[in-house]
Amino acid sequence: MDAVIFDLDGVLVDSERIWDEVRRAVVAEHGGTWRPESTRALQGMSTPEWARYLVEELGTRLTPGEAATLVVKRMAARYAEDPPLIDGGVDVVRAVADRWPVAIASSSPPLLIKGYLDVTGLPVAVAVSSEQVGAGKPAPDVYLRAAELLDVPAADCAAVEDSTNGLKSAMAAGMTVYAVPNPHFPPDPEVLKEATAVVDGITALPDALGIA
């Protein structure tokens, strides 16, 4: 293993619930209807993908561009008020970065990734949003791009993920996958079985990586 690539939402920031609340509110305010499967379906999508989903699948009476702008604006306001950092996450990334190059491969828009890095000051060598690649998770594009920018073969990277689509994405990229299951939106057990290791919270990751 020559590099470690972290997901952001659900791994380092407890933002999956906030994304869910904000998207549900926008859909409800603009005439759409939330579906039982929507929360899981949206996890890992890039901004253009989830914006189209809100409009085309859920009936939100906005353009995809308007939906994306409104949701991201509200998310940025939430981050500015009180970034939802997961306890211990910052320390874990620092510890891992002392040993290997570290990247972030996230479905969050670049604005929110930058906000997280500005708040934490973490020594992250590369940060990639799925907005900047061909497709969101579960496609492997964002992980493959992060590995490319790190100049490390994907097969020599470890990925840290929490959601079904995120795990599928990292696996499709051919990476060693460490699962930190999201307690609010647990990943599919069948997908979880395919992870290299399952850790009980981000603070358990250094032990799993052998650097504790």
Side-chain angles (χ1 to χ4, degrees), residues 127-184:
V128 184
S129 165
S130 56
E131 280 188 28
Q132 300 166 312
V133 296
K137 303 171 185 178
D141 302 43
V142 70
Y143 276 107
L144 293 174
R145 180 59 175 159
E148 179 184 11
L149 292 173
L150 287 169
D151 197 24
V152 176
D156 295 333
C157 295
V160 185
E161 268 289 356
D162 70 303
S163 68
T164 298
N165 285 342
L167 292 167
K168 286 181 176 180
S169 173
M171 291 170 187
M175 297 185 176
T176 300
V177 182
Y178 290 82
V180 186
N182 190 308
H184 311 299

Side-chain angles (χ1 to χ4, degrees), residues 20 23-24 34-43 185:
D20 201 53
R23 286 172 177 149
R24 282 175 183 262
W34 199 262
R35 298 177 184 170
E37 70 275 12
S38 293
T39 296
R40 176 168 282 185
L42 287 162
Q43 289 175 339
F185 308 109

Side-chain angles (χ1 to χ4, degrees), residues 18-106:
I18 300 176
W19 276 109
D20 201 53
E21 290 170 10
V22 169
R23 286 172 177 149
R24 282 175 183 262
V26 168
V27 169
E29 290 165 14
H30 295 275
T33 303
W34 199 262
R35 298 177 184 170
E37 70 275 12
S38 293
T39 296
R40 176 168 282 185
L42 287 162
Q43 289 175 339
M45 286 187 185
S46 68
T47 301
E49 289 168 338
W50 61 249
R52 286 194 300 271
Y53 182 95
L54 298 189
V55 173
E56 297 171 6
E57 300 296 327
L58 303 186
T60 305
R61 291 197 290 270
L62 297 168
T63 67
E66 289 169 340
T69 298
L70 185 53
V71 170
V72 172
K73 181 180 178 180
R74 291 188 184 182
M75 287 296 298
R78 291 283 199 100
Y79 272 47
E81 291 169 6
D82 184 19
L85 304 181
I86 289 178
D87 289 344
V90 170
D91 291 338
V92 166
V93 175
R94 290 192 190 282
V96 173
D98 284 342
R99 180 79 173 270
W100 297 286
V102 164
I104 286 176
S106 173

